[in-house]
């Protein structure tokens, strides 16, 4: 196709895309037409200008280029592009934002051309980093990852985490496009259309920075060509654009963010747009038919712990990853510069090519893990439990991407001791429980950690594994079975006065309390609630029927943790549930001092039982 | 003092500080001596070189310079400096990290010279931004804010949020000092001692960047002098340092992060250090005796809502702030570029000088709010409830700073409708409940919102206010009283079959269910649980005694929310508690469609009651 003809065709397609955007949003009565129009030319050239390579009938093809709309509110543009590619009908475009439609207000994987849910700003670039890491270091495929970014969202720190890590890993297969349309939701951005500010920052973070007029099709094409030629560094195209571009009465105007045109304005807009060829469709280039090398699962060995030697569950986490990797060759591990504390370093040392150091940048770590998960990897992400709170928005968003992601938070609770409250995970169970379909695992010894890490690898979905800093005794034999949703009744008799439910560090306190109470002639039931979500309702209900009270004990704040999980399971039982949890502002001290201070130690359990009986 | 003598004195003091660091950490048996030693010269010159101005006997003086240790693990240095200033004894220094000591593993305000708790990295600069905003725009005092930063933590995106906002607000009273000691926890940082990488980034973000040798006392002094002369932009001193500086066998060595010296190594180290003048003490300059203008509280007007006109609680939030401001003149509002959605813009338009636009950078917004709170302001921080998850680590940390902070999350739950799950706050109650001493408020109408915003302003501590996107009817008279820890029994009779507990949007569904059921001859009790934490146990217990079952209904995931709060209050009651909550993956749709889909609507309540009875 001669350049002129190509240019003409692209203009035609851009017009069609604009028409689709306006039709869909006006029909929906809401949405973000102006934010879509500003990026229309940029994306039309990308998809239909011969740059983007994608088997449109096989969105899951491993060598397809990836496209992430980090500015998820431009979803009408995303849908319109695939409309212009002939992959969704005009009729379906008009279902935008309607209940049951695949075309949600912000993209989700319900739409087959969206790999991940976006819409919480500043997350798409990290997802792109994960996809690009996969192409360059794991699947070793030539696909490229493109991320459409808004100018407002460049204020998010997570973007600069993604920038630094992408440069560090020399991701020359990653292209970001900033749609600098000058206007945020409630007015101008910090830098309006000053492309130079963005350019300086982008370059300082080690990327190749290209500034262009985002409505000049030739400049756009040239920038993609330049991007494709760049080696050893990621590329950012910084495009000056006009919000609402193409429709004069909404162009560059404040007050038009997230607003659909009325029917009347819509008709006016169509007149301005002029004749639209509604039958024209764009062609997307195809990539090479490459697939990654198939990794053959090999049998994993058995865990091998000396039952006489206490060992921290955080350490068992690292050994478990190393042990099971041959059987789950899609595993990758990411760590936030604390691998010698979370012990993901044990895995790193064994399989360095499957480990990514993500430095102290937890948001990007979580986002990149999601990107890896979209490329069929099984990411295990580790840092201190407390610091996973840094990435809660990214973690929360990944539940809408059907993500297969595993998080391990070490240093749970006050039992870490001297480092003090800043390093103590005390809200992490609450955080991970409060998500759709999440799993929360909290093992108390090395054997259960090992087995449950394997269960996490098998399970498809978001799993949180909580580990403990200090060494704990091994209480399980190596052939013991553990399952998501299970628990273990460790002490039971026909005359149990009460049931104590613990997990992790407090399970050992409960076992110690059992021994002391036995000497006093009191027998209690002790349950290891290693699966905090889902919880083994049946076993808890049985205990509630045969013992007088349930006492939960946890190294976590009282809200959202084990107490709440048990009470929910027993909400329609008549049993009393008493809870011991961290209720005083924690401080530095020895682990045992802090367990006593917070009244979650053996002594506190015994006291509580004697109070109740 | 002649320059030579001054130099000599500073060297003496630096030696004393090093001695204190080594003594305290070796006595504690843990801690971070090497990370403290690298910054010793930088901080010694700052405090005792005539730059830092502080009434050492009056740490709360409003015109004192502020010093934030963002690299909180260098706490031994912080304590040692105040030891060298004669403000804590060598004996107390030896209590470091011990249970009950003010000298915790990471600084907390238990230590009077720490304004805020640090230790989760990448938060101190934001706190400093808040302190500097206060000096420049609110208190209008000449005090300066210094923030000591680690090189590893510059990987955190939150730092770059603080950088951009500080430059935007031209905070020439803010000085950052990066201690580039090359080594992170588990090995080298991304850029090791390449000061130029930092310099380029810092400059690109609009700061004055000064690179120095962080152990050359003259260069350090010169850099502070330069910083004091800089106008209209913040200053970053980027100092090349050596981890473990001063003790040859730990200098610049991997494997020494977070490790105290053994007694034996300690003795060796002291020999290297040479003679220490344990009696010498440093003098800190004094600031001018300035105090901010005292704002006189004025009576606030009364809320004025037309009971016939439904209005969204998010809007009432804005009106409430505007109404109560005269009575609480320490209020400031911060918003994450969505003030036209959270309606903090109503306050902004009335009192623009008390409003800070923080752009889409929620982490820095939360950190800066904490900084403002340390300077006796009452910050109200607003964004979408969902996006507060972005700042969960900062929010979590502020509980350890005894912070007086208010957060407002708008767009709670699936009832926002078409925008879809990325914009829905569905974990926010869980997040805020799971903190020590937090308050969670969830009003259902404009009047209760108004009154509860005022209660939040009165209350000293962390309060979360959850607001709703859509208009809701006004159900309360303007003289109705509301209190933290209260609830309202809105429908009651002597023959109530069950109790429905709702809040916010679901309260209106419960009231509608009441009407329908009444027509069927079934009477239910309806409770507005506007205070989700603390919860009104007494009223819930009474309801549990006289009605057959409790049904909670909430626009939130089942875990950590209203259901859990009610079950905790009734944990020792025999009543059945049934919960309706968001249990299916949400999507786009009309609010009413989504409430029905998730079974938290009137219809679902009626169905549940009929099932139970």
């Amino acid at each position: 196709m001669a350049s002129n003809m190509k240019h003409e065709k692209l203009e035609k397609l851009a017009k069609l895309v604009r028409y689709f955007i306006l039709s869909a949003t006006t029909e929906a009565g809401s949405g973000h037409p102006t934010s879509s129009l500003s990026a229309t030319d940029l994306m039309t050239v990308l998809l239909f200008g011969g740059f983007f390579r994608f088997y449109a009938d096989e969105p899951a093809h491993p060598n397809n280029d990836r496209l992430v709309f980090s500015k998820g509110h431009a979803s009408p543009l995303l849908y319109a592009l695939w409309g212009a590619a002939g992959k969704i009908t005009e009729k379906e475009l008009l279902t935008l934002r309607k209940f049951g439609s695949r075309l949600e207000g912000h993209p989700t994987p319900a739409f087959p051309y969206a790999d991940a849910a976006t819409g919480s700003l500043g997350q798409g670039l990290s997802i792109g980093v994960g996809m690009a890491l996969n192409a360059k270091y794991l699947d070793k495929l030539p696909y490229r990852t493109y991320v459409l970014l808004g100018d407002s969202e460049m204020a998010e720190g997570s973007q600069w985490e993604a920038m630094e890590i992408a440069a560090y890993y020399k991701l020359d297969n990653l292209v970001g496009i900033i749609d600098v349309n000058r206007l945020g939701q409630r007015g101008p951005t910090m830098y309006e259309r000053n492309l130079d500010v963005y350019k300086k920052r982008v370059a300082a973070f080690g990327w190749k920075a290209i500034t262009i007029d985002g409505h000049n099709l030739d400049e756009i094409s040239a920038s993609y060509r330049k991007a494709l030629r760049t080696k050893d560094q990621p590329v950012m195209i910084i495009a000056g654009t006009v919000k609402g571009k193409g429709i004069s009465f909404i162009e560059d105007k404040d007050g038009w963010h997230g607003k659909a045109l009325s029917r009347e304005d819509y008709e006016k807009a169509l007149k301005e747009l002029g004749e639209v060829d509604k039958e024209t469709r764009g062609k997307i280039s195809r990539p090479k038919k490459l697939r990654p090398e198939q990794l053959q699962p090999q049998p994993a060995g058995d865990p091998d712990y000396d039952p006489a030697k206490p060992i921290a569950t955080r350490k068992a986490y690292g050994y478990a990853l190393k042990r099971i990797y041959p059987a789950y060759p899609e595993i990758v591990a990411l760590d936030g510069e604390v691998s010698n504390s979370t012990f993901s370093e044990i895995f790193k040392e064994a399989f360095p090519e499957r480990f990514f150091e993500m430095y102290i940048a937890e948001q990007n770590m979580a986002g990149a893990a999601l990107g890896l998960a979209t490329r069929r990897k099984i990411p295990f992400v580790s840092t201190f439990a407390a610091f996973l709170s840094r990435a809660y928005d990214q973690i929360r968003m990944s539940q809408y991407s059907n993500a297969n992601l595993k998080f391990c938070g070490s240093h749970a609770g006050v039992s870490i001791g001297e480092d003090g409250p800043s390093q103590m995970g005390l809200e992490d169970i609450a955080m991970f429980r409060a998500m759709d379909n999440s799993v929360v695992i909290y093992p108390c010894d090395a054997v259960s950690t090992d087995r449950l890490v394997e269960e996490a690898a098998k399970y498809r979905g978001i799993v949180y594994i909580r580990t403990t800093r200090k060494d704990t005794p091994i209480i399980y034999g190596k052939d013991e079975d553990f399952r998501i949703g299970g628990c273990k009744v460790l002490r039971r008799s026909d005359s149990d006065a009460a049931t104590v439910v613990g997990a992790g560090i407090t399970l050992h306190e409960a076992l110690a309390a059992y021994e002391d109470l036995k000497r006093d002639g009191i027998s209690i039931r002790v349950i290891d609630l290693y699966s905090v979500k889902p919880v083994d309702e049946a076993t808890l209900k049985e205990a509630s029927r045969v013992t007088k009270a349930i006492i939960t004990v946890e190294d976590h704040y009282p809200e959202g943790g084990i107490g709440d999980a048990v009470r929910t399971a027993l909400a329609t039982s008549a049993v009393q549930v008493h809870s011991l949890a961290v209720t005083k502002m924690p401080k530095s001290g020895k682990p045992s001092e802090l367990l006593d201070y917070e009244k979650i130690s053996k002594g506190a359990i015994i006291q509580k039982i004697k109070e109740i009986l």
Side-chain angles (χ1 to χ4, degrees), chain A residues 197-377:
Chain A
V197 178
Y198 294 101
K199 187 174 185 176
K200 271 192 194 130
R201 291 182 188 183
V202 163
F205 271 71
W207 287 47
K208 182 171 189 73
I210 304 170
T211 54
I212 59 165
D213 170 352
H215 300 300
N216 180 319
L217 303 190
D218 296 328
E219 281 191 36
I220 298 170
S221 291
S223 71
Y224 290 127
R225 274 194 299 272
K226 224 181 270 178
L228 290 170
R229 281 196 309 265
T230 302
K231 292 277 169 238
D232 294 330
Q233 62 177 170
V235 177
M236 187 65 82
I237 297 168
I238 302 158
T241 63
V242 174
K243 201 160 174 170
K245 176 70 179 183
I247 313 300
S248 65
F249 57 93
I250 54 172
E251 268 188 9
D252 207 29
K253 289 232 175 16
D254 215 347
W256 272 100
H257 181 94
K259 260 189 209 155
L261 271 61
S262 66
R263 274 284 153 205
E264 201 189 330
D265 281 343
Y266 170 73
E267 297 300 340
K268 230 170 91 188
L270 286 201
K271 260 184 213 140
E272 273 203 25
L273 206 56
E275 204 186 337
V276 176
D277 178 354
K278 294 183 194 173
E279 304 311 316
T280 194
R281 289 295 177 270
K283 219 174 127 53
I284 295 176
S285 300
R286 289 163 169 244
K288 285 196 186 139
K289 277 210 161 114
L290 298 171
R291 293 186 179 271
E293 191 194 337
Q294 278 302 311
L295 304 168
Q296 291 310 319
Q298 305 292 330
D302 275 319
D304 181 26
Y305 287 105
D306 179 347
K309 277 199 193 138
I311 177 172
T313 54
R314 60 180 170 136
K315 212 162 198 170
Y317 167 77
Y319 285 123
L321 278 187
K322 178 179 165 184
R323 179 183 74 76
I324 67 169
Y325 173 68
Y328 305 89
E330 298 302 347
I331 286 178
V332 290
L334 298 86
D335 195 280
E337 223 273 86
V338 287
S339 58
N340 56 340
S341 285
T342 61
F343 284 108
S344 64
E345 72 173 13
I346 294 169
F347 177 81
K348 171 177 82 173
E349 278 154 23
F351 307 105
E353 73 289 358
R354 308 293 298 184
F355 178 90
F356 293 102
E357 176 57 71
M358 302 305 276
Y359 294 95
I360 311 183
E362 296 82 1
Q363 296 191 81
N364 178 65
M365 174 164 67
L370 175 56
L372 286 160
T374 68
R375 310 318 302 140
R376 294 182 203 76
K377 300 301 169 286

Side-chain angles (χ1 to χ4, degrees), chain A residues 325-529:
Chain A
Y325 173 68
Y328 305 89
E330 298 302 347
I331 286 178
V332 290
L334 298 86
D335 195 280
E337 223 273 86
V338 287
S339 58
N340 56 340
S341 285
T342 61
F343 284 108
S344 64
E345 72 173 13
I346 294 169
F347 177 81
K348 171 177 82 173
E349 278 154 23
F351 307 105
E353 73 289 358
R354 308 293 298 184
F355 178 90
F356 293 102
E357 176 57 71
M358 302 305 276
Y359 294 95
I360 311 183
E362 296 82 1
Q363 296 191 81
N364 178 65
M365 174 164 67
L370 175 56
L372 286 160
T374 68
R375 310 318 302 140
R376 294 182 203 76
K377 300 301 169 286
I378 308 175
F380 278 77
V381 178
S382 51
T383 182
F384 284 28
F387 305 146
L388 286 171
S389 62
R390 200 61 159 263
Y392 194 31
D393 197 17
Q394 281 78 4
I395 294 168
R396 171 188 83 79
M397 282 297 294
S398 58
Q399 73 187 306
Y400 303 122
S401 296
N402 304 318
N404 189 20
L405 274 176
K406 322 299 161 188
F407 294 93
C408 175
S410 69
H411 293 65
V414 301
S415 72
I416 68 162
E418 289 79 359
D419 270 334
S422 64
Q423 319 291 303
M424 295 170 175
L426 288 164
E427 307 85 356
D428 53 317
I429 298 179
M431 205 174 102
F432 277 99
R433 271 183 75 237
M435 295 198 306
D436 195 43
N437 263 320
S438 60
V439 168
V440 176
I441 292 299
Y442 185 14
C444 72
D445 83 341
V447 172
S448 52
T449 303
D450 182 280
R451 293 302 186 187
L452 286 162
V453 167
E454 181 158 7
E455 291 305 306
K458 272 185 214 165
Y459 180 86
R460 224 210 149 281
I462 298 175
V463 180
Y464 175 55
I465 303 158
R466 187 181 214 224
T467 65
T468 299
R469 177 172 184 270
K470 85 196 205 98
D471 288 345
T472 45
I474 289 183
I475 64 164
Y476 290 112
K478 69 175 178 149
D479 296 324
E480 190 82 35
D481 267 340
F482 297 86
R483 62 185 176 84
I484 288 170
C487 72
K488 295 280 174 192
V489 183
L490 294 178
R491 300 289 183 270
R492 102 184 300 157
S493 77
D494 291 339
S495 56
D496 292 335
T499 301
V500 177
V501 180
I505 193 88
T506 61
L507 194 266
H508 300 282
E509 300 295 320
L511 290 174
Y514 168 90
E515 296 300 333
D516 276 26
L517 286 164
K518 202 168 80 174
R519 279 194 288 276
D520 290 350
I522 301 170
S523 88
I524 57 168
R525 184 163 297 196
V526 177
I527 293 180
D528 175 6
L529 200 75

